[in-house]
Amino acid sequence: EADIYQTPRYLVIGTGKKITLECSQTMGHDKMYWYQQDPGMELHLIHYSYGVNSTEKGDLSSESTVSRIRTEHFPLTLESARPSHTSQYLCASAPTGDNTGELFFGEGSRLTVL
Amino acid sequence: KNQVEQSPQSLIILEGKNCTLQCNYTVSPFSNLRWYKQDTGRGPVSLTIMTFSENTKSNGRYTATLDADTKQSSLHITASQLSDSASYICVVRGGYQKVTFGTGTKLQVIP
């Protein structure tokens, strides 16, 4: 079992609310990622970080933002949620120096915006 | 464009039966290919990794194959169990550590 945790697991909110999805890992991994997953669709990378104070946007355009102030913590924030943000958000991490590219995933945060 | 296509999209089999899931990719250059298992409501977990020089690799009842010439991989599950019910995702790693995900095969094992 990977030591990577996401909260909340499920969230139902109204349009216009600000939300933060938390992701923490205790493995000391430098690389962390946020993916968006919709039913029947492949995972899409929305943000990644290769270390503290390093954040980059992924392949899928997203209105969310991320921060990486501590190695173990990589929260994702939506300033004003909309129904189009309804999705499953998966956080993952990987150790620097691992050439195989294995990703260790959290259990996901399922967001529903009404 | 790098693509990973998986088939079938979904599959229902009886407990105890075998099944094979397919993955075709167009990723180039090729670094490695992983199969992940994603239980409902959980994050994906790596089952096995295949590199360019490997043709077959087993992990318990799971056996993965790779044909780098035809850019195809398969995941064979032997003597399926109810706990095998999950989505199986093929992920190909290419140049510059770029990762391309397949859409997955949803497997349901019924008693």
Side-chain angles (χ1 to χ4, degrees):
Chain A
E1 291 270 328
D3 296 320
I4 179 165
Y5 308 100
Q6 291 186 239
T7 58
R9 293 289 315 281
Y10 303 93
L11 181 62
V12 181
I13 60 169
T15 296
K17 299 293 184 183
K18 176 181 180 179
I19 65 110
T20 296
L21 304 181
E22 302 286 351
C23 177
S24 294
Q25 50 95 7
T26 59
M27 296 173 283
H29 290 171
D30 289 320
K31 299 179 183 178
M32 295 191 74
Y33 308 83
W34 276 103
Y35 289 91
Q36 190 170 331
Q37 184 182 34
D38 293 310
M41 303 290 289
E42 65 266 41
L43 275 71
H44 288 289
L45 180 66
I46 51 175
H47 295 285
Y48 64 97
S49 167
Y50 285 167
V52 172
N53 294 326
S54 153
T55 61
E56 301 287 345
K57 289 188 179 295
D59 304 321
L60 182 67
S61 175
S62 174
E63 293 161 352
S64 58
T65 60
V66 293
S67 63
R68 190 88 183 275
I69 299 173
R70 304 197 314 265
T71 298
E72 62 271 21
H73 196 213
F74 191 40
L76 180 146
T77 298
L78 273 168
E79 290 293 332
S80 179
R82 294 204 301 271
S84 60
H85 296 138
T86 294
S87 188
Q88 163 103 322
Y89 293 85
L90 286 167
C91 180
S93 71
T96 302
D98 173 22
N99 293 325
T100 70
E102 181 175 3
L103 295 168
F104 296 84
F105 286 90
E107 297 198 330
S109 292
R110 180 163 295 283
L111 173 65
T112 302
V113 184
L114 304 176
Chain B
K1 180 184 175 184
N2 290 335
Q3 285 188 311
V4 176
E5 295 185 352
Q6 293 187 242
S7 61
Q9 277 190 321
S10 62
L11 182 63
I12 300 175
I13 62 171
L14 290 173
E15 185 179 12
K17 297 296 186 183
N18 304 335
C19 67
T20 300
L21 315 181
Q22 298 289 346
C23 173
N24 297 338
Y25 61 93
T26 61
V27 176
S28 182
F30 174 86
S31 180
N32 61 51
L33 181 150
R34 277 189 189 272
W35 284 94
Y36 284 84
K37 178 187 180 189
Q38 184 176 21
D39 292 318
T40 301
R42 309 290 290 271
V45 175
S46 178
L47 286 175
T48 187
I49 178 175
M50 303 296 289
T51 58
F52 187 85
S53 59
E54 294 174 310
N55 298 119
T56 304
K57 184 182 287 186
S58 292
N59 177 7
R61 293 180 297 101
Y62 300 103
T63 299
T65 67
L66 175 68
D67 186 332
D69 291 330
T70 61
K71 298 187 177 181
Q72 296 179 324
S73 176
S74 67
L75 182 69
H76 185 76
I77 303 175
T78 303
S80 61
Q81 299 176 358
L82 298 178
S83 59
D84 293 329
S85 295
S87 288
Y88 292 83
I89 303 171
C90 177
V91 183
V92 180
R93 192 162 185 248
Y96 303 105
Q97 302 182 22
K98 177 79 173 175
V99 170
T100 304
F101 289 82
T103 55
T105 293
K106 187 168 185 177
L107 173 66
Q108 186 178 356
V109 181
I110 58 175

